[in-house]
Amino acid sequence: MLKAARLLSMLVSAALLVSCAGGNPFPPATIDPGQVAPDAPHALSLSLDEKIGQLFVVPAHGVYLSEQSKDFQTLRHHVVDNHVGGVILFRSNVYGAAVLVGKLQELARVPLLVSADLEAGLGMRFEDVTYGPWAMAIAAAGDPALAERVALATAREARAIGIAQVFAPVADVNVNPDNPVINVRSFGEDPGQVSRYVEATVKGLKDGGVLATLKHFPGHGDTAVDSHRALAIVGADRPRLESVELVSFRAGIKAGAESVMIAHLSIPALDPMPAPALASPPKSPDAIGENVEVETKGTMPASLSEPVVTGILRKELGFTGLVVTDSMQMGGITSHFTAGEAAVRAILAGADQVLLSADPDAAIAAVREAVKSGRIAEKRLDESVTRILDCKKKLKLYEKRIPFVDGLAKIVDTPPLQALDAEIARRSLTLVREQPDALPLQKSTKLLSLVVADEATKNGPAGPLGAEVRARVLSVKTVTLDPRSTPEETRAVVEAAKDADVILVSLFVRARSGLGKITVPEAGRTAIPQLLALGKPVVVVSFGSPYLLRDFPDLKTYLCAWGGQDIAQVAAAQALFGESAIGGRLPITIPGLANRGDGIAKAASAEPPSNTKTR
């Protein structure tokens, strides 16, 4: 009888999905209701271990896992033994994640609050869906309504998979062109403009049924250090913080954001207490390729600072939602505190969720000992647990915790959502400079297409850009320079350019968490000036950081595409050949070379070639 009732429930849900899909391109997430929802527990009804566990969020990859596998057994241990309150998804696929979330939810006495970094939509973490544009692309398009629409779509997709907390929007104001980690993840450098896009994103996420998370409080936009690697210091005084960094966070809170992520930033103006340094810090999993750096002059990280979390965020800004730390595996924490001490200090500072502890078992044990010794009052735990449970109840996780896998194909990565991402990619393209008559490129042009990438890349001849270019010109030679390239290969590129009419240079150089720098590889830095010296038209497209123009100030034609996603590559190819208009505006200043608001508008002048698909 129970099986029959469950089957009937699933059929009804499927019918609802079909009916929704006909009239709404973004149908609400449909969850299998075929389970009896327990009453939501009160914080005081949980044991001490259950209370402590609710404050911890552990990582998972939403892919197929055998239940006997080490990875699944580790997750089971955290859910069943440690009673963790949340799971954050990293590299995943849609069906694998939905199935895994369902299995973990079945193991949990209290529903899990599942989260993910989805700043650029689902594709930022899910490998089998469209990878959407970055925040700065949306701002370059000049329409906050796009931010709201894409946030609403992301939220509904997320809820269908079982994700109820989205770590977006980035509310950082990127005023430092040398920022190695925020960059195009920010909506720009103007606090007012950033605020408008943050408000729109918060509204879309809320309307789609997820918790919107403002990050990285109190503001990571004016740093030249990546906090994945080291404790970054923000030297601004309080008046400057009020007029720049805090503006967008105030706006996001007012718009209804229900969680805020605290950064691992040293801000002496807010908390002057010196941060200790570990003699031998462990290597951070978030530091790519190089060891964690120890900042000896930093003050207490904001994520562990009571004056910042409780004093400013809670009391001054009046925020009453969930406070989540940034990843506790980052060098800005691990170079100064053990996993246990970091967790204790975060909770004392006022955090509700300890995200990605470097050692969850040790951290949970340390918090338990701190409570038993009186260092952390159990009342303090109850405050956070109550907030967490209230959010889970509001999100209806007690009734709707298991994703309805059979309905995903009607909700996730549908053609209307793909079209929205493609629209943003097209509208955001920003022509900063143009040599007279350099664009559009002509079919008859003999073209050298040079890809310069900061890592071994697929964006060469076999990538989306290469395919799009080959479909549009009769003669093209495509070559790639990256960190592996030799001086001989660099010379060969310059020699090949002598036979070309036009040189197209595509820069795939971007901010990458943990790397600590944004750098054009030496082969590219050597080749580009030599290509300019040939006197031929050189058209450069930045598929990453817009600030790369500073490395080559003599460029005469420079187009910003804001990211290397497939949709950005297709959009750039269409614009380069005149098939779509160019109308984006810079949301940032490129010091000494271009101002915020700059952008050359160009109308479409050609039809797509017959052997390519309109995207």
Side-chain angles (χ1 to χ4, degrees), residues 70-280:
K70 181 181 177 180
D71 287 344
F72 186 84
Q73 288 300 314
T74 297
L75 287 168
R76 187 184 189 284
H77 163 64
H78 288 315
V79 173
V80 175
D81 302 325
N82 286 337
H83 315 287
V84 296
V87 170
I88 177 173
L89 296 177
F90 286 96
R91 181 183 56 82
S92 300
N93 61 66
V94 172
Y95 285 108
V99 171
L100 180 64
V101 167
K103 287 184 177 182
L104 296 178
Q105 292 286 22
E106 288 175 347
L107 291 171
R109 178 192 168 201
V110 178
L112 297 164
L113 181 54
V114 180
S115 58
D117 284 306
L118 303 179
E119 301 165 21
L122 227 61
M124 183 174 171
R125 292 294 182 227
F126 288 74
E127 298 180 333
D128 51 350
V129 299
T130 303
Y131 197 156
W134 291 105
M136 199 170 284
I138 298 173
D143 186 357
L146 290 174
E148 183 177 342
R149 289 170 59 197
V150 78
L152 176 63
T154 297
R156 287 177 168 169
E157 291 178 298
R159 280 310 298 262
I161 295 169
I163 299 165
Q165 183 178 28
V166 171
F167 292 143
V170 172
D172 303 317
V173 181
N174 200 81
V175 293
N176 190 337
D178 294 317
N179 196 318
V181 65
I182 302 301
N183 202 271
V184 295
R185 297 167 63 196
S186 164
F187 288 109
E189 70 179 18
D190 178 72
Q193 182 183 37
V194 171
S195 294
R196 289 189 289 277
Y197 287 93
V198 165
E199 290 167 349
T201 302
V202 168
K203 185 178 186 306
L205 292 173
K206 281 175 60 69
D207 289 350
V210 301
L211 301 182
T213 305
L214 306 174
K215 63 185 190 184
H216 308 79
F217 188 85
H220 207 320
D222 191 12
T223 65
V225 171
D226 181 355
S227 55
H228 291 83
R229 293 173 50 82
L231 181 60
I233 300 176
V234 177
D237 59 18
R238 184 60 190 268
R240 151 59 197 273
L241 292 167
E242 287 287 350
S243 64
V244 178
E245 278 79 7
L246 294 178
V247 173
S248 50
F249 286 97
R250 289 183 185 274
I253 292 170
K254 186 176 180 181
E258 293 171 299
S259 59
V260 171
M261 179 179 286
I262 311 296
H264 307 314
L265 299 173
S266 164
I267 310 178
L270 302 183
D271 189 342
M273 180 182 292
L278 295 179
S280 300

Side-chain angles (χ1 to χ4, degrees), residues 428-444:
S428 65
L429 289 167
T430 305
L431 186 58
V432 181
R433 289 178 171 181
E434 184 191 12
Q435 181 178 351
D437 300 323
L439 297 178
L441 300 178
Q442 302 299 316
K443 181 178 181 178
S444 58

Side-chain angles (χ1 to χ4, degrees), residues 6 13 208 272 324 345 408 436 453 585 598:
R6 184 176 180 84
S13 295
V324 54
R345 286 180 180 253
L408 292 173
R585 301 282 181 176
D598 283 357

